[in-house]
Amino acid sequence: MKPSVGIRDVAQHAGVSNATVSNVLNRPDVVAPATRQRVLAAIAELGFVRNESARQLRAGRSRVIAYVVLDAANPFFTDVARGVEDAAREAGFALFLCNSASDDGREREYLELLHEQRVEGILITPVDGDSAQFAERGTPLVLVDRESTDGTRCSVAVDDVLGGELAMTHLIEAGHTRIAMIGGPLSIQQVRDRHSGALRALANAGLPADALTFLETKDLQVAEGRGAGERLVGLPSSRRPTAAFCANDLLALGLLQSMTQQGLRVPDDLAVVGYDDIEFAAAAAVPLTSVRQPREQLGRTAAQLLLSENEPDHEHRHVKFQPELVVRASSAIKR
Amino acid sequence: MKPSVGIRDVAQHAGVSNATVSNVLNRPDVVAPATRQRVLAAIAELGFVRNESARQLRAGRSRVIAYVVLDAANPFFTDVARGVEDAAREAGFALFLCNSASDDGREREYLELLHEQRVEGILITPVDGDSAQFAERGTPLVLVDRESTDGTRCSVAVDDVLGGELAMTHLIEAGHTRIAMIGGPLSIQQVRDRHSGALRALANAGLPADALTFLETKDLQVAEGRGAGERLVGLPSSRRPTAAFCANDLLALGLLQSMTQQGLRVPDDLAVVGYDDIEFAAAAAVPLTSVRQPREQLGRTAAQLLLSENEPDHEHRHVKFQPELVVRASSAIKR
DNA sequence: CTCAGCCGTTAAAACGTTTCAACATCGAGG
DNA sequence: CCTCGATGTTGAAACGTTTTAACGGCTGAG
């Protein structure tokens, strides 16, 4: 429809060459103020919008980074994304947000797309923990909320083993001796780490390993938490756990909901501890005890690490943050 | 670093011309199977990745649409985004997700960026309801969850006046005669519409207009809901409303939290109705009565409308969905 | 008066694709 | 044997920028 006004139309209209227009756009200081004004006027008048494809093709740079997020519906990740976005925009980069929705097919598609787009860098919380899957293709890539096992790239993570230990120790100290851990699938590194931490806490307290029952779920969504709650209530009350440690807050919220529906009280009949400390955890049916992670900072740090990748003396780093237990009503002391 | 293998390297390696390689990429059926295999082998061997910038520059198409979302941390919008993404990927488009975070500066920046990127189309839930602000620049644009006042573009919305009326009628029928509406700022069309609906319900029931007190908030986040709760409790109990209708669920959750903290019971001391029916509404301290909107469908429809824009006989349409009241414990009948 | 140096501007060459008209090759139909 | 159409392939011209080296005009020093 519209013949799409280009840099040369502007040049003609302002009576200069297109190189000058390009200079006005990219190095305003190098062009004489008078001409600059004239060019800017022409740009405004013609409604010129720079064609980023052409720019990128020629310049080789793209001013865009991407974050491939594991689950855009999980508030934990939207908070991380906010940190990423803030850091990116401070550095003059735009953020391309992609949602793999825990589907490795989608993840692959998006990575392919991003490579084709020649983004400057990629942040990713991968579906599969195995970071070796990302064939190096020249685009800097840093792992978010996952630890890089090999030293081939940067990563920013939180100590999930410690987090699991904190949660579990808290429940043990509250007097619980039959505890369930709810989470899954075990293919997720996070779940495994938090479980290891829980086991470590058990060992530290001198409790037998069978004091902890692991209930595996298919994913980390609210619905699975509800399902786990039903499974839990189905157990004979003599063998039923008196406390549950959920691998994330969504599961915990589902579990809470299921307890309320079935007429059980939290924390009296079942103490519950979640993980992530999302904003909704404090507003839950019973305010949720949870393991807090520095979400925005996670994202912010990851973005900064990514943007430092093309500095000449860059060395891959592995940042690890410490989680922190936030105690609320859902795990009040057992009397 | 890597000399970036291009289409002509592939061509040379496979012993064909670059036009043929391009054909393999874009019209595989037109090239002889034998050559196609040879080219594909070369692509795999050299690790060729198509340069999307160059493609786009030449072809003029971009295979990317964008959704500028108002608040990525609000589950309502992530659900809409999911609908958008599904529809987009079905049509072979990728989705660029941008978060304006209710900041019109950010919104403008993103729109500028998207125009420069020459995306095929833009979906947007604008910060400011005034849709005339978007100077037509050749990129199709459809409004999501906002109604287009002029007929210059498509929009997909939900009948917010009806939603407000449903919520309010419900509270009135439950016997409440002093009701607060919490929401803001009034510059947001949604808030105004839901308020009008509430007033209409009032009129229908023959109640005086001052039965509804409007408490304006600065935004629609959880924290403002908490603040409103404190303001509410500060009122002398003789004049304190017995029910509150919140302009969205985040506010309602904050309000709920504040009530619990201050030792008031919901719904006995205060009945609460939210709006959006996000997943967390059902898992709240007291399961929340809310007005449900067809979230995914909203997004899906918007994307389909957008993608139909460049059909030759396209006419701008304004789709409007009906909301639905979901009654839960937070507004149980007053006895 | 000449020349070196500076400043602002420019012409033209990339960048890596897609696309189109043109070109071979081949088999079939006249 | 010639022509025709179909099938596959190709050379070269775009697309709209950025970038580089060169250019002309001016100033001040010699």
Side-chain angles (χ1 to χ4, degrees):
Chain A
M1 47 173 84
K2 205 173 47 176
S4 164
V5 22
I7 209 177
R8 41 206 337 142
D9 300 307
V10 175
Q12 190 178 351
H13 197 264
V16 295
S17 81
N18 37 4
T20 300
V21 178
S22 176
N23 280 334
V24 170
L25 258 35
N26 302 301
R27 298 177 218 71
D29 44 304
V30 90
V31 46
T35 14
R36 193 193 317 162
Q37 288 312 323
R38 204 144 33 93
V39 171
L40 288 176
I43 287 179
E45 191 169 340
L46 298 178
F48 164 76
V49 180
R50 187 221 250 91
N51 184 327
E52 180 66 23
S53 300
R55 168 201 173 82
Q56 186 173 328
L57 174 59
R58 176 60 232 229
R61 285 179 298 274
S62 81
R63 305 184 329 189
V64 175
I65 64 174
Y67 178 22
V68 183
V69 77
L70 188 61
D71 176 14
N74 184 339
F76 170 74
F77 287 111
T78 64
D79 286 348
V80 175
R82 166 171 288 265
V84 171
E85 199 202 352
D86 287 348
R89 81 165 27 237
E90 276 168 24
F93 281 77
L95 181 64
F96 203 147
L97 207 56
C98 305
N99 181 20
S100 71
S102 299
D103 174 341
D104 57 357
R106 282 194 180 210
E107 181 180 284
R108 245 196 315 278
E109 276 179 45
Y110 271 124
L111 284 174
E112 185 67 21
L113 179 78
L114 294 172
H115 277 119
E116 289 187 356
Q117 297 271 2
R118 299 291 193 272
V119 296
E120 282 300 279
I122 300 177
L123 294 166
I124 184 170
T125 305
V127 174
D128 185 336
D130 180 12
S131 80
Q133 65 183 304
F134 305 111
E136 192 56 74
R137 291 204 268 184
T139 309
L141 187 150
V142 349
L143 299 181
V144 179
D145 202 32
R146 288 281 191 284
E147 203 168 359
S148 166
T149 46
D150 45 10
T152 64
R153 62 185 101 256
C154 289
S155 68
V156 182
V158 180
D159 191 336
D160 282 314
V161 178
L162 176 59
E165 189 180 354
L166 286 174
M168 196 65 177
T169 302
H170 168 66
L171 287 174
I172 293 171
E173 285 176 352
H176 296 280
T177 52
R178 279 202 316 277
I179 305 178
M181 168 153 184
I182 298 172
L186 273 171
S187 61
I188 299 181
Q189 179 72 39
Q190 252 88 340
V191 178
R192 285 201 303 273
D193 284 353
R194 291 168 196 178
H195 187 226
S196 313
L199 289 177
R200 197 164 73 188
L202 223 55
N204 288 346
L207 289 177
D210 67 355
L212 182 69
T213 316
F214 187 80
L215 256 66
E216 189 167 4
T217 56
K218 279 200 272 297
D219 58 45
L220 296 170
Q221 312 284 341
V222 176
E224 281 290 307
R226 279 195 290 264
E230 279 151 27
R231 278 198 272 163
L232 220 50
V233 174
L235 296 176
S237 70
S238 62
R239 299 198 16 86
R240 188 195 301 157
T242 59
F245 166 39
C246 298
N248 81 355
D249 282 347
L250 300 184
L251 288 175
L253 289 175
L255 179 61
L256 230 55
Q257 200 182 339
S258 153
M259 289 299 117
T260 314
Q261 265 172 18
Q262 300 183 67
L264 294 184
R265 290 162 310 164
V266 173
D268 310 76
D269 297 320
L270 185 78
V272 177
V273 174
Y275 206 109
D276 287 348
D277 193 32
I278 61 178
E279 188 173 23
F280 296 106
V286 180
L288 199 61
T289 296
S290 193
V291 178
R292 176 181 297 169
Q293 314 196 57
R295 298 170 299 236
E296 289 91 347
Q297 206 187 343
L298 203 63
R300 172 171 286 277
T301 308
Q304 287 163 347
L305 235 47
L306 181 68
L307 293 173
S308 75
E309 289 258 353
N310 16 25
E311 286 169 8
D313 56 343
H314 177 83
E315 261 184 44
H316 292 307
R317 292 176 51 204
H318 303 280
V319 179
K320 197 166 203 171
F321 290 105
Q322 303 292 309
E324 175 191 357
L325 185 74
V326 180
V327 178
R328 297 202 186 84
S330 74
S331 66
I333 299 289
K334 188 187 175 75
R335 280 156 297 164
Chain B
M1 52 171 78
K2 206 173 45 178
S4 165
V5 20
I7 208 177
R8 40 206 338 141
D9 301 307
V10 175
Q12 190 179 350
H13 196 265
V16 295
S17 81
N18 38 3
T20 299
V21 178
S22 177
N23 280 334
V24 170
L25 259 33
N26 303 300
R27 301 177 217 70
D29 43 304
V30 90
V31 47
T35 13
R36 192 193 318 159
Q37 288 312 321
R38 205 145 31 94
V39 171
L40 287 177
I43 287 178
E45 189 168 342
L46 297 178
F48 165 77
V49 180
R50 187 220 249 99
N51 185 327
E52 181 66 24
S53 299
R55 169 200 172 84
Q56 187 173 326
L57 173 59
R58 175 61 234 232
R61 286 179 297 275
S62 83
R63 306 185 327 190
V64 174
I65 65 174
Y67 178 23
V68 183
V69 75
L70 187 61
D71 175 14
N74 185 337
F76 170 74
F77 287 111
T78 63
D79 286 347
V80 176
R82 167 171 289 265
V84 172
E85 200 204 348
D86 288 349
R89 82 166 27 237
E90 276 168 24
F93 281 78
L95 179 66
F96 204 149
L97 207 57
C98 304
N99 180 21
S100 72
S102 298
D103 174 342
D104 58 357
R106 282 193 180 210
E107 181 179 285
R108 247 195 315 279
E109 277 180 44
Y110 271 123
L111 284 174
E112 185 66 23
L113 179 78
L114 294 172
H115 276 119
E116 289 189 354
Q117 296 272 3
R118 300 292 194 274
V119 295
E120 282 301 278
I122 299 178
L123 294 166
I124 183 171
T125 305
V127 173
D128 185 336
D130 179 10
S131 81
Q133 66 183 305
F134 306 110
E136 192 56 74
R137 293 205 267 181
T139 309
L141 187 149
V142 349
L143 299 181
V144 180
D145 202 31
R146 287 281 189 287
E147 203 168 359
S148 167
T149 46
D150 45 9
T152 64
R153 61 184 103 257
C154 289
S155 67
V156 182
V158 181
D159 191 336
D160 282 313
V161 179
L162 176 58
E165 188 179 355
L166 286 174
M168 196 67 177
T169 303
H170 168 65
L171 287 174
I172 294 171
E173 285 176 352
H176 296 278
T177 52
R178 283 203 313 278
I179 304 179
M181 167 150 184
I182 298 173
L186 273 171
S187 60
I188 299 180
Q189 178 73 38
Q190 252 89 343
V191 177
R192 286 202 302 274
D193 285 353
R194 290 169 196 178
H195 187 225
S196 314
L199 289 177
R200 195 164 76 189
L202 223 54
N204 288 348
L207 287 177
D210 67 355
L212 182 68
T213 316
F214 187 80
L215 258 63
E216 189 169 4
T217 56
K218 279 201 272 297
D219 58 44
L220 296 170
Q221 310 287 339
V222 176
E224 282 289 308
R226 278 195 292 262
E230 280 151 27
R231 278 199 272 165
L232 219 51
V233 174
L235 295 176
S237 71
S238 61
R239 296 196 19 84
R240 188 194 302 157
T242 59
F245 166 38
C246 299
N248 82 355
D249 282 347
L250 299 184
L251 287 176
L253 289 175
L255 179 61
L256 229 55
Q257 200 182 337
S258 153
M259 289 299 117
T260 314
Q261 264 171 18
Q262 300 183 70
L264 295 185
R265 287 163 311 166
V266 173
D268 310 75
D269 297 319
L270 186 80
V272 177
V273 174
Y275 206 108
D276 285 349
D277 193 33
I278 61 178
E279 189 173 22
F280 297 104
V286 180
L288 199 63
T289 295
S290 193
V291 179
R292 174 180 298 170
Q293 315 197 57
R295 297 171 300 235
E296 290 91 345
Q297 206 188 344
L298 202 63
R300 170 170 287 278
T301 308
Q304 287 162 347
L305 235 47
L306 182 68
L307 293 173
S308 76
E309 288 259 352
N310 17 23
E311 285 169 9
D313 55 344
H314 176 82
E315 262 184 45
H316 292 306
R317 291 176 51 204
H318 303 279
V319 178
K320 198 166 203 170
F321 290 105
Q322 303 292 310
E324 174 192 355
L325 186 74
V326 180
V327 179
R328 298 204 185 84
S330 74
S331 67
I333 300 293
K334 190 185 175 73
R335 281 155 296 159

